Amino acid sequence: MKICMIGSGYVGLVSGVCFADLGNNVICVDKETNKIDNLKNGIIPIYEPGLEELVKKNFKNGNLNFSTNLKDSVSKSDIIFICVGTPTKKNTNAADLSQIFAVTREIKKSIKKYKIIVTKSTVPVATGDEIEKILSTSKLKKLFSVVSNPEFLREGEAIRDFIYPDRIVIGTSEIRANKIMKNLYSPLISKGANYLNTNRRAAELIKYASNAFLASKITFINEISNLCENIGVNIEDVSIGMGLDKRIGSRFLRAGPAYGGSCFPKDTRAITDTGIKFKTDLSLIKSVIKSNDNRTNLLLKRVQHILKNKIKDKIICFLGVTFKANTDDMRESSCLKMIPFLSKKGANINYFDPSGKKKILQKIKNVNYLSSIKEACLNADLVIIHTEWNEFKSINFKNLVKKKNFSIYDMRNIYSYKKMKRDNIKYFCIGR
Ligand code: UDX
């Protein structure tokens, strides 16, 4: 099929290259000339395991192309995926849809024959209706269908998540559009992927409700881990005990720092805004947002307790600063709150992250990026394990850290506290 992905960020690039790898003819469009030039030279704008190889392979075999020319790309394609950003609008909880509507107006100019316009960006309920309104002129009436096809990709596992999705959700009540979309996804359906056709608003809501539910599950287990700390019970035993109940499920029950990233924080906020628009009080999700916002303060209190409230001139080492492992993404990472707070308290912060140095941390006083775990840990009074990268899972801290009475705060519970105790290491963790 001839496909055009508008917006070559996370969603557009990963989905686009995967569609190309399934044998479709894909054009990834972006208004940033640099990004497009780089992509043509195999330079990938995001950190995602396996993406570079797949882009190079499909660009070479001609299935995948890059362009800044939206008009031309749309006219050459039958299915147009809108994959531009929908960040939170400043000082609101609402999603900013300005890019969605700007692209829609551009697409409108290039519709000469029947096309399917698909929203793959995360868009609030009824956005498809707005897009349809913009496109609807007497001339274009029968020449397009607007479909919702939300993505459920996780950063760090995006290609795997595309090829082996738990479900493919297609929001349209038009038989013709549904038939074409089902055909597009038939290679994944034949591999066992569930295909769900529902109406457009339901598909839009499935995305938000799913993210809000996952964020609630994480926040729930984080709160239970606080209780475990006060009772003296191991949260992992509780997670396992809960997760064995198929109604609950074992995934997304790992307690840790506040959830972050480009999706959960933004989408939980946006769905509460949709609630207001449709006169529905989503009090549960509001509590989840509040609890998650408080979580970082709670963990910071713990840090101060570990350092006996003597933060000034202490050397604190962060292992991992992104919002989770296997990504270079700092968006809504809890480190963006923790590090400035500790720096203001007079601490010296060294950090190492396998995905490299972070521009956003450069402007904070006494914060240094070190290019190895060894260098970052060497003079530490406290080592904070913030993300669960594999390379953090078998560190011999006694060999690495010079100071005798250093402490470790393992915010991802990747080490056994019994072993740490045996090694006489002052070890703190989550809910254990
Ligand atoms: C999420 C959704 O999983 C994905 O389906 C959607 O398309 C985009 O948003 P992503 O933001 O990449 O994906 O991250 P995810 O792996 O879901 O983690 C989100 C946050 O939850 C991270 O901060 C992570 O550390 C945290 N998390 C996740 C936990 O604290 N415990 C868990 O058990 C799982």
Side-chain angles (χ1 to χ4, degrees):
M1 292 203 185
K2 295 188 186 125
I3 298 172
C4 169
M5 314 300 289
I6 304 179
S8 298
Y10 223 91
V11 174
L13 193 52
V14 173
S15 315
V17 73
C18 289
F19 278 133
D21 206 46
L22 292 173
N24 299 290
N25 197 310
V26 177
I27 310 171
C28 282
V29 179
D30 203 284
K31 59 182 181 209
E32 280 179 44
T33 318
N34 270 354
K35 190 192 280 187
I36 292 297
D37 293 345
N38 282 344
L39 280 164
K40 287 179 179 167
N41 296 310
I43 301 165
I44 314 298
I46 53 173
Y47 178 107
E48 185 59 38
L51 185 59
E52 186 173 337
E53 300 75 16
L54 220 50
V55 166
K56 286 183 176 161
K57 171 190 164 198
N58 286 284
F59 185 63
K60 195 160 164 237
N61 67 22
N63 283 359
L64 180 63
N65 262 303
F66 301 103
S67 170
T68 54
N69 187 334
L70 187 150
K71 201 161 181 299
D72 177 55
S73 308
V74 168
S75 59
K76 284 183 181 148
S77 308
D78 303 319
I79 306 180
I80 318 299
F81 283 91
I82 301 178
C83 310
V84 293
T86 55
T88 305
K89 212 187 276 177
K90 234 173 179 272
N91 309 325
T92 78
N93 279 336
D96 176 355
L97 300 175
S98 55
Q99 296 184 71
I100 297 277
F101 298 139
V103 158
T104 303
R105 283 186 284 274
E106 287 302 309
I107 293 171
K108 186 176 179 177
K109 299 174 192 158
S110 314
I111 298 179
K112 302 279 180 292
K113 60 181 178 65
Y114 177 72
K115 299 196 186 285
I116 300 183
I117 318 299
V118 186
T119 52
K120 206 164 220 347
S121 305
T122 304
V123 292
V125 173
T127 303
D129 305 355
E130 293 303 314
I131 292 172
E132 207 165 58
K133 257 192 230 133
I134 296 171
L135 295 173
S136 293
T137 64
S138 52
K139 219 171 92 223
L140 290 183
K141 201 132 201 71
K142 296 241 173 304
L143 286 184
F144 68 88
S145 301
V146 177
V147 168
S148 164
N149 173 213
E151 57 67 34
F152 302 98
L153 310 177
R154 285 167 300 160
E155 294 188 22
E157 325 246 3
I159 291 172
R160 197 216 70 82
D161 285 352
F162 184 95
I163 298 168
Y164 302 105
D166 288 335
R167 78 288 207 203
I168 296 158
V169 175
I170 298 294
T172 179
S173 309
E174 294 178 35
I175 295 167
R176 180 182 184 184
N178 180 47
K179 209 159 156 242
I180 294 170
M181 294 306 288
K182 196 166 190 176
N183 194 13
L184 172 66
Y185 278 107
S186 56
L188 303 184
I189 297 168
S190 59
K191 265 198 250 173
N194 295 305
Y195 183 86
L196 172 66
N197 172 222
T198 177
N199 67 59
R200 193 169 56 213
R201 284 187 173 197
E204 290 163 337
L205 187 55
I206 286 170
K207 172 64 187 179
Y208 278 102
S210 302
N211 273 1
F213 183 83
L214 291 169
S216 307
K217 201 174 175 182
I218 294 163
T219 306
F220 182 87
I221 204 69
N222 281 343
E223 289 203 357
I224 295 294
S225 77
N226 301 341
L227 185 57
C228 286
E229 282 169 21
N230 296 337
I231 299 175
V233 163
N234 181 342
I235 184 64
E236 285 165 337
D237 296 342
V238 178
S239 295
I240 293 166
M242 288 172 60
L244 289 170
D245 183 327
K246 293 191 181 51
R247 295 165 300 170
I248 300 173
S250 61
R251 298 180 66 191
F252 277 60
L253 278 182
R254 269 177 302 107
Y259 62 71
S262 58
C263 295
F264 286 178
K266 156 175 92 69
D267 296 347
T268 45
R269 288 192 288 261
I271 195 173
T272 60
D273 183 73
T274 298
I276 293 166
K277 283 205 179 87
F278 290 91
K279 302 188 177 41
T280 311
D281 180 21
L282 298 173
S283 57
L284 183 66
I285 300 172
K286 283 187 220 162
S287 316
V288 164
I289 295 169
K290 194 158 162 260
S291 173
N292 192 60
D293 288 347
N294 287 339
R295 182 141 188 88
T296 305
N297 305 333
L298 204 79
L299 271 57
L300 278 170
K301 276 208 189 86
R302 196 82 194 278
V303 170
Q304 292 177 91
H305 170 76
I306 293 170
L307 293 171
K308 302 187 173 48
N309 285 316
K310 296 194 184 73
I311 309 271
K312 191 161 176 15
D313 301 328
K314 284 284 188 309
I315 298 176
I316 301 177
C317 161
F318 275 80
L319 293 180
V321 288
T322 53
F323 79 97
K324 67 172 189 177
N326 306 321
T327 176
D328 63 350
D329 201 336
M330 286 296 288
R331 284 177 284 183
E332 312 244 8
S333 161
S334 54
C335 269
L336 295 176
K337 232 181 183 175
M338 291 200 263
I339 291 180
F341 175 87
L342 295 167
S343 158
K344 266 206 200 89
K345 292 270 181 194
N348 294 300
I349 294 166
N350 293 338
Y351 75 94
F352 168 74
D353 193 291
S355 70
K357 194 173 185 174
K358 305 297 168 205
K359 240 203 225 107
I360 195 166
L361 296 177
Q362 269 168 356
K363 43 186 189 249
I364 307 170
K365 199 162 155 263
N366 300 333
V367 174
N368 307 302
Y369 170 76
L370 283 303
S371 51
S372 72
I373 296 172
K374 186 162 188 254
E375 288 166 276
C377 288
L378 192 61
N379 302 312
D381 295 292
L382 170 64
V383 176
I384 295 180
I385 304 173
H386 179 255
T387 48
E388 65 287 20
W389 289 80
N390 284 339
E391 43 262 70
F392 297 157
K393 292 182 176 167
S394 47
I395 301 172
N396 184 335
F397 290 100
K398 277 225 154 159
N399 285 356
L400 281 193
V401 185
K402 236 177 15 198
K403 289 185 184 134
K404 287 282 156 282
N405 62 352
F406 71 93
S407 304
I408 294 176
Y409 188 9
D410 181 358
M411 293 183 176
R412 297 287 179 171
N413 290 349
I414 55 180
Y415 284 91
S416 138
Y417 65 93
K418 287 195 182 105
K419 181 174 178 314
M420 286 291 182
K421 211 162 178 197
R422 271 199 310 274
D423 296 348
N424 267 329
I425 291 177
K426 268 192 272 169
Y427 176 77
F428 301 84
C429 49
I430 299 277
R432 299 189 294 183

